Each structure stands twice: as structure tokens, then as C-alpha cells.
Amino acid sequence: MSDWDQEVGLGVDSLDAHHRQVWRRIRHLAKAVSEGDASDVRSSLRLLHAYLVEHDAAEERWMEEAGYPGAREHLRAHAAMQERVAAARADERPGAERRLLEAADWIARTLATHMRADDLR
């Protein structure tokens, strides 16, 4: 996963600062997944989840204030991502480590795509 790309910046300083933090956490999560380190993946997901809750709320407030017409759909995407992170973290059934790595990989890729596409709208 590449470094933060200024081309995905929104031009809103506070949101761009949040996105850089999310991007760093995605990169750390992707590295932990590639190394197969379930303990580091769990830790990364915990930090990412906490930050997403804060970031998504700020982004949603900004969309509401700006009158963004796609806000409702965007909020659903945020909620779905947060639910997926929470579910991956909470899974303790047999085989959870494999599912954790698969879910974390999906989360990292989906968040990166979300930031490159959905957030730029």
C-alpha cells in the first residue's frame, strides 16, 4: 500500500489531516495482514476502529453542513465499515484467526478505495 497521495486530498485541512491518520492506520493494518500477525492485526483494528468512529463523525458533520446530497449513502458506507471492523474484532469462534486476516485485508482495501473514490465526491 502506497504512502498518502496528495491527489486524494479534499482541500479541507481538518478532514485531510484525519485522512492521513486513517491512511497510516490502513498501511499498518495491511502490513500486519501481509505478515500474518494476528495479534498485530487485532491491535491495528482496535486503533483503526477507534479512529474511524471519531473521523467518520467529523466527516459526516462536515457533509451535513455543506449540504452534500450523497450524505445518506456515505453514512451507510461508514456504518457498514465500522460494523465489519467490530465484527472482525469480536470473532472468537474456531478458525477466527484466518477470518480475522481475511476481514482485515478486506477492510484495508475497502477503506483505501473509499478514500480514493467516495470521499472525493
Side-chain angles (χ1 to χ4, degrees), residues 25-95:
R25 293 169 202 274
I26 292 170
R27 287 184 58 218
H28 188 269
L29 177 62
K31 181 177 184 271
V33 168
S34 72
E35 293 172 354
D37 186 342
S39 176
D40 198 14
V41 166
R42 283 191 191 285
S43 175
S44 293
L45 282 175
R46 181 179 49 79
L47 293 171
L48 177 63
H49 191 221
Y51 198 78
L52 282 178
V53 168
E54 176 185 329
H55 163 68
D56 289 351
E59 188 173 275
E60 291 163 9
R61 279 190 305 275
W62 184 87
M63 286 187 292
E64 183 178 326
E65 291 169 5
Y68 175 58
R72 182 172 291 147
E73 181 181 326
H74 204 96
L75 271 65
R76 282 194 294 267
H78 285 172
M81 188 71 59
Q82 288 183 29
E83 288 171 15
R84 183 76 188 259
V85 173
R89 291 181 58 215
D91 187 356
E92 295 183 7
R93 298 170 293 150

Side-chain angles (χ1 to χ4, degrees), residues 80-81 84 101-111:
M81 188 71 59
R84 183 76 188 259
L101 294 174
E102 290 170 357
D105 179 58
W106 180 88
I107 290 162
R109 287 182 291 106
T110 302
L111 262 174

